[in-house]
Short mmCIF file of all heavy atoms in Angstrom, two decimals:
data_model
loop_
_atom_site.label_atom_id
_atom_site.label_comp_id
_atom_site.label_asym_id
_atom_site.label_seq_id
_atom_site.Cartn_x
_atom_site.Cartn_y
_atom_site.Cartn_z
N GLU I 1 95.28 122.52 112.14
CA GLU I 1 94.54 122.89 113.32
C GLU I 1 93.09 123.10 113.06
O GLU I 1 92.20 122.79 113.86
CB GLU I 1 95.15 124.08 114.02
CG GLU I 1 96.62 123.84 114.52
CD GLU I 1 96.69 122.74 115.50
OE1 GLU I 1 95.72 122.36 116.13
OE2 GLU I 1 97.86 122.25 115.71
N SER I 2 92.74 123.72 111.96
CA SER I 2 91.35 123.95 111.58
C SER I 2 90.64 122.61 111.30
O SER I 2 89.50 122.42 111.70
CB SER I 2 91.25 124.85 110.32
OG SER I 2 91.78 126.11 110.58
N PHE I 3 91.30 121.67 110.64
CA PHE I 3 90.72 120.36 110.42
C PHE I 3 90.49 119.66 111.77
O PHE I 3 89.33 119.17 111.99
CB PHE I 3 91.69 119.49 109.60
CG PHE I 3 91.43 118.01 109.67
CD1 PHE I 3 90.27 117.52 109.12
CD2 PHE I 3 92.33 117.13 110.26
CE1 PHE I 3 90.00 116.13 109.23
CE2 PHE I 3 92.07 115.80 110.39
CZ PHE I 3 90.93 115.29 109.81
N ALA I 4 91.41 119.71 112.69
CA ALA I 4 91.25 119.03 113.99
C ALA I 4 90.15 119.69 114.78
O ALA I 4 89.41 119.07 115.51
CB ALA I 4 92.53 119.02 114.75
N THR I 5 90.05 121.05 114.64
CA THR I 5 88.95 121.73 115.33
C THR I 5 87.62 121.37 114.84
O THR I 5 86.61 121.20 115.56
CB THR I 5 89.21 123.27 115.25
OG1 THR I 5 90.40 123.62 115.87
CG2 THR I 5 88.11 124.02 115.97
N ALA I 6 87.48 121.22 113.48
CA ALA I 6 86.24 120.79 112.92
C ALA I 6 85.86 119.40 113.38
O ALA I 6 84.68 119.08 113.60
CB ALA I 6 86.32 120.81 111.36
N VAL I 7 86.80 118.51 113.48
CA VAL I 7 86.55 117.11 113.97
C VAL I 7 86.15 117.18 115.40
O VAL I 7 85.21 116.47 115.77
CB VAL I 7 87.86 116.27 113.87
CG1 VAL I 7 87.69 114.89 114.52
CG2 VAL I 7 88.19 116.05 112.37
N GLU I 8 86.78 117.96 116.26
CA GLU I 8 86.41 118.02 117.68
C GLU I 8 84.98 118.51 117.79
O GLU I 8 84.18 117.99 118.61
CB GLU I 8 87.30 118.93 118.46
CG GLU I 8 87.06 120.40 118.25
CD GLU I 8 88.01 121.31 119.01
OE1 GLU I 8 89.22 121.04 119.14
OE2 GLU I 8 87.52 122.34 119.56
N GLU I 9 84.62 119.50 117.00
CA GLU I 9 83.27 120.09 117.09
C GLU I 9 82.20 118.98 116.76
O GLU I 9 81.25 118.77 117.52
CB GLU I 9 83.06 121.21 116.11
CG GLU I 9 83.70 122.52 116.47
CD GLU I 9 83.48 123.64 115.45
OE1 GLU I 9 82.89 123.32 114.41
OE2 GLU I 9 83.84 124.73 115.74
N ALA I 10 82.42 118.37 115.66
CA ALA I 10 81.41 117.26 115.26
C ALA I 10 81.42 116.12 116.25
O ALA I 10 80.36 115.65 116.57
CB ALA I 10 81.83 116.75 113.86
N GLY I 11 82.59 115.77 116.78
CA GLY I 11 82.70 114.69 117.69
C GLY I 11 81.97 114.95 118.97
O GLY I 11 81.24 114.04 119.51
N VAL I 12 82.15 116.15 119.49
CA VAL I 12 81.54 116.52 120.77
C VAL I 12 79.99 116.53 120.68
O VAL I 12 79.25 116.03 121.55
CB VAL I 12 82.02 117.84 121.35
CG1 VAL I 12 81.17 118.26 122.56
CG2 VAL I 12 83.43 117.71 121.74
N LEU I 13 79.50 116.97 119.58
CA LEU I 13 78.02 117.06 119.40
C LEU I 13 77.50 115.62 119.40
O LEU I 13 76.43 115.35 119.96
CB LEU I 13 77.65 117.70 118.09
CG LEU I 13 77.87 119.28 118.09
CD1 LEU I 13 77.49 119.86 116.74
CD2 LEU I 13 77.06 119.93 119.18
N ARG I 14 78.19 114.69 118.81
CA ARG I 14 77.71 113.28 118.74
C ARG I 14 77.88 112.60 120.18
O ARG I 14 77.05 111.80 120.54
CB ARG I 14 78.49 112.49 117.63
CG ARG I 14 78.29 113.09 116.29
CD ARG I 14 79.01 112.31 115.20
NE ARG I 14 79.02 113.07 113.93
CZ ARG I 14 79.30 112.53 112.76
NH1 ARG I 14 79.61 111.30 112.65
NH2 ARG I 14 79.24 113.34 111.66
N TRP I 15 78.99 112.96 120.81
CA TRP I 15 79.15 112.46 122.15
C TRP I 15 78.03 112.90 123.09
O TRP I 15 77.48 112.11 123.82
CB TRP I 15 80.51 112.90 122.70
CG TRP I 15 80.71 112.55 124.16
CD1 TRP I 15 80.67 113.44 125.22
CD2 TRP I 15 80.97 111.29 124.69
NE1 TRP I 15 80.99 112.76 126.42
CE2 TRP I 15 81.13 111.32 126.10
CE3 TRP I 15 81.18 109.98 124.17
CZ2 TRP I 15 81.38 110.38 126.97
CZ3 TRP I 15 81.40 108.93 125.02
CH2 TRP I 15 81.56 109.15 126.37
N LEU I 16 77.70 114.17 123.02
CA LEU I 16 76.57 114.71 123.82
C LEU I 16 75.34 114.08 123.47
O LEU I 16 74.44 113.74 124.38
CB LEU I 16 76.56 116.27 123.66
CG LEU I 16 77.71 117.08 124.19
CD1 LEU I 16 77.52 118.53 123.83
CD2 LEU I 16 77.93 116.87 125.68
N ALA I 17 75.08 113.82 122.21
CA ALA I 17 73.83 113.16 121.77
C ALA I 17 73.72 111.77 122.37
O ALA I 17 72.66 111.27 122.82
CB ALA I 17 73.74 113.16 120.28
N LYS I 18 74.86 111.08 122.33
CA LYS I 18 74.85 109.70 122.91
C LYS I 18 74.60 109.74 124.43
O LYS I 18 73.88 108.91 124.96
CB LYS I 18 76.19 109.04 122.62
CG LYS I 18 76.30 107.63 123.24
CD LYS I 18 77.63 107.04 123.00
CE LYS I 18 77.71 105.63 123.76
NZ LYS I 18 79.02 104.98 123.58
N ARG I 19 75.21 110.68 125.13
CA ARG I 19 74.99 110.74 126.59
C ARG I 19 73.65 111.16 126.97
O ARG I 19 73.16 110.75 128.04
CB ARG I 19 76.06 111.77 127.14
CG ARG I 19 77.50 111.39 126.91
CD ARG I 19 77.94 110.35 127.97
NE ARG I 19 78.28 110.99 129.21
CZ ARG I 19 77.61 110.85 130.37
NH1 ARG I 19 76.56 110.10 130.43
NH2 ARG I 19 78.02 111.44 131.43
N ALA I 20 72.95 111.98 126.10
CA ALA I 20 71.61 112.39 126.45
C ALA I 20 71.41 112.82 127.80
O ALA I 20 70.39 112.50 128.54
CB ALA I 20 70.67 111.19 126.12
N ASP I 21 72.31 113.74 128.29
CA ASP I 21 72.23 114.26 129.60
C ASP I 21 72.11 115.77 129.54
O ASP I 21 72.99 116.50 129.14
CB ASP I 21 73.58 113.96 130.34
CG ASP I 21 73.61 114.47 131.78
OD1 ASP I 21 72.85 115.36 132.14
OD2 ASP I 21 74.44 113.99 132.54
N PRO I 22 70.86 116.28 129.81
CA PRO I 22 70.61 117.75 129.67
C PRO I 22 71.64 118.57 130.40
O PRO I 22 71.98 119.63 129.91
CB PRO I 22 69.18 117.90 130.15
CG PRO I 22 68.56 116.53 129.97
CD PRO I 22 69.64 115.58 130.26
N ARG I 23 72.00 118.18 131.59
CA ARG I 23 73.00 118.95 132.36
C ARG I 23 74.28 119.07 131.68
O ARG I 23 74.87 120.17 131.54
CB ARG I 23 73.13 118.29 133.77
CG ARG I 23 74.18 119.09 134.63
CD ARG I 23 74.65 118.10 135.72
NE ARG I 23 75.17 116.86 135.28
CZ ARG I 23 76.41 116.74 134.75
NH1 ARG I 23 77.19 117.78 134.74
NH2 ARG I 23 76.82 115.58 134.33
N LEU I 24 74.77 117.92 131.17
CA LEU I 24 76.05 117.91 130.46
C LEU I 24 75.97 118.68 129.18
O LEU I 24 76.86 119.43 128.83
CB LEU I 24 76.43 116.46 130.15
CG LEU I 24 77.71 116.21 129.33
CD1 LEU I 24 78.92 116.73 130.13
CD2 LEU I 24 77.86 114.73 129.02
N ASP I 25 74.81 118.58 128.50
CA ASP I 25 74.65 119.29 127.19
C ASP I 25 74.71 120.80 127.46
O ASP I 25 75.34 121.54 126.76
CB ASP I 25 73.27 118.88 126.60
CG ASP I 25 73.08 119.38 125.21
OD1 ASP I 25 73.83 118.92 124.30
OD2 ASP I 25 72.30 120.27 125.02
N GLU I 26 74.01 121.25 128.50
CA GLU I 26 73.90 122.69 128.85
C GLU I 26 75.26 123.19 129.23
O GLU I 26 75.70 124.32 128.83
CB GLU I 26 72.91 122.93 129.93
CG GLU I 26 72.85 124.42 130.38
CD GLU I 26 72.54 125.42 129.27
OE1 GLU I 26 71.90 125.00 128.26
OE2 GLU I 26 72.96 126.56 129.36
N GLU I 27 76.01 122.39 130.01
CA GLU I 27 77.36 122.80 130.50
C GLU I 27 78.26 122.99 129.31
O GLU I 27 79.02 124.11 129.21
CB GLU I 27 77.93 121.74 131.37
CG GLU I 27 79.33 122.02 131.85
CD GLU I 27 79.91 120.85 132.63
OE1 GLU I 27 80.01 119.75 132.07
OE2 GLU I 27 80.24 121.04 133.80
N TYR I 28 78.24 122.10 128.36
CA TYR I 28 79.11 122.22 127.20
C TYR I 28 78.73 123.37 126.28
O TYR I 28 79.55 124.16 125.80
CB TYR I 28 79.17 120.92 126.38
CG TYR I 28 80.03 121.11 125.14
CD1 TYR I 28 81.48 121.10 125.31
CD2 TYR I 28 79.53 121.33 123.91
CE1 TYR I 28 82.31 121.32 124.22
CE2 TYR I 28 80.36 121.54 122.81
CZ TYR I 28 81.74 121.52 122.96
OH TYR I 28 82.55 121.73 121.91
N ARG I 29 77.40 123.46 126.12
CA ARG I 29 76.98 124.54 125.18
C ARG I 29 77.30 125.94 125.76
O ARG I 29 77.58 126.88 125.02
CB ARG I 29 75.44 124.43 124.89
CG ARG I 29 75.14 123.19 124.05
CD ARG I 29 73.72 123.06 123.73
NE ARG I 29 73.41 121.82 123.03
CZ ARG I 29 73.69 121.55 121.73
NH1 ARG I 29 74.27 122.44 121.02
NH2 ARG I 29 73.48 120.33 121.21
N ARG I 30 77.27 126.05 127.05
CA ARG I 30 77.65 127.34 127.70
C ARG I 30 79.10 127.60 127.46
O ARG I 30 79.50 128.76 127.09
CB ARG I 30 77.30 127.29 129.21
CG ARG I 30 77.53 128.62 129.88
CD ARG I 30 76.91 128.62 131.28
NE ARG I 30 77.37 127.52 132.13
CZ ARG I 30 76.70 126.47 132.52
NH1 ARG I 30 75.40 126.37 132.08
NH2 ARG I 30 77.22 125.55 133.23
N PHE I 31 79.98 126.60 127.67
CA PHE I 31 81.38 126.74 127.35
C PHE I 31 81.62 127.09 125.94
O PHE I 31 82.39 127.99 125.56
CB PHE I 31 82.12 125.44 127.70
CG PHE I 31 82.72 125.33 129.05
CD1 PHE I 31 81.95 125.09 130.13
CD2 PHE I 31 84.06 125.54 129.23
CE1 PHE I 31 82.48 125.02 131.44
CE2 PHE I 31 84.64 125.53 130.50
CZ PHE I 31 83.86 125.24 131.59
N ALA I 32 80.96 126.36 125.02
CA ALA I 32 81.19 126.53 123.61
C ALA I 32 80.74 127.91 123.12
O ALA I 32 81.39 128.56 122.31
CB ALA I 32 80.40 125.43 122.77
N GLU I 33 79.61 128.49 123.68
CA GLU I 33 79.14 129.75 123.30
C GLU I 33 80.08 130.89 123.75
O GLU I 33 80.38 131.84 123.05
CB GLU I 33 77.73 130.04 123.80
CG GLU I 33 77.12 131.36 123.51
CD GLU I 33 77.03 131.67 122.01
OE1 GLU I 33 77.12 130.76 121.20
OE2 GLU I 33 76.85 132.87 121.70
N ARG I 34 80.60 130.67 124.93
CA ARG I 34 81.58 131.69 125.41
C ARG I 34 82.85 131.66 124.54
O ARG I 34 83.41 132.71 124.23
CB ARG I 34 81.96 131.39 126.87
CG ARG I 34 80.84 131.75 127.84
CD ARG I 34 81.16 131.24 129.24
NE ARG I 34 80.16 131.57 130.25
CZ ARG I 34 80.05 130.96 131.40
NH1 ARG I 34 80.83 129.96 131.73
NH2 ARG I 34 79.10 131.31 132.23
N ARG I 35 83.30 130.48 124.15
CA ARG I 35 84.47 130.37 123.36
C ARG I 35 84.19 130.95 121.99
O ARG I 35 85.05 131.64 121.44
CB ARG I 35 84.84 128.91 123.20
CG ARG I 35 86.12 128.70 122.35
CD ARG I 35 86.62 127.23 122.46
NE ARG I 35 85.64 126.28 122.13
CZ ARG I 35 85.12 125.38 123.03
NH1 ARG I 35 85.49 125.43 124.25
NH2 ARG I 35 84.17 124.47 122.66
N ARG I 36 82.96 130.74 121.48
CA ARG I 36 82.66 131.31 120.13
C ARG I 36 82.64 132.87 120.20
O ARG I 36 83.14 133.55 119.30
CB ARG I 36 81.32 130.83 119.70
CG ARG I 36 80.92 131.29 118.28
CD ARG I 36 79.39 131.09 118.05
NE ARG I 36 78.64 131.99 118.85
CZ ARG I 36 78.46 133.30 118.64
NH1 ARG I 36 79.06 133.90 117.59
NH2 ARG I 36 77.75 134.05 119.44
N GLN I 37 82.06 133.41 121.24
CA GLN I 37 82.02 134.83 121.42
C GLN I 37 83.42 135.42 121.55
O GLN I 37 83.71 136.53 121.06
CB GLN I 37 81.11 135.27 122.58
CG GLN I 37 79.63 134.98 122.31
CD GLN I 37 78.78 135.24 123.51
OE1 GLN I 37 79.15 135.02 124.65
NE2 GLN I 37 77.67 135.88 123.24
N PHE I 38 84.25 134.76 122.33
CA PHE I 38 85.65 135.18 122.54
C PHE I 38 86.39 135.19 121.20
O PHE I 38 87.01 136.22 120.88
CB PHE I 38 86.32 134.25 123.51
CG PHE I 38 87.81 134.44 123.66
CD1 PHE I 38 88.33 135.58 124.21
CD2 PHE I 38 88.66 133.46 123.18
CE1 PHE I 38 89.72 135.73 124.33
CE2 PHE I 38 90.04 133.62 123.28
CZ PHE I 38 90.57 134.75 123.84
#
């Protein structure tokens, strides 16, 4: 599960970079920060 979580993290960052959509990027980063704090 830790391996798959590391893959998902790296993958999403690359997906967001490809999409180059500030709204999408901010939405995900807000989700991710809340998850990290939790």
Side-chain angles (χ1 to χ4, degrees):
E1 297 300 341
S2 295
F3 162 68
T5 298
V7 172
E8 78 179 40
E9 286 183 353
V12 171
L13 291 178
R14 297 181 195 196
W15 172 254
L16 293 175
K18 177 184 178 181
R19 295 281 279 114
D21 181 340
R23 177 199 57 80
L24 177 62
D25 190 71
E26 176 57 27
E27 177 186 61
Y28 178 76
R29 292 186 186 281
R30 185 166 57 250
F31 265 80
E33 178 59 16
R34 287 169 179 163
R35 182 169 55 247
R36 185 197 66 77
Q37 291 177 317
F38 169 70

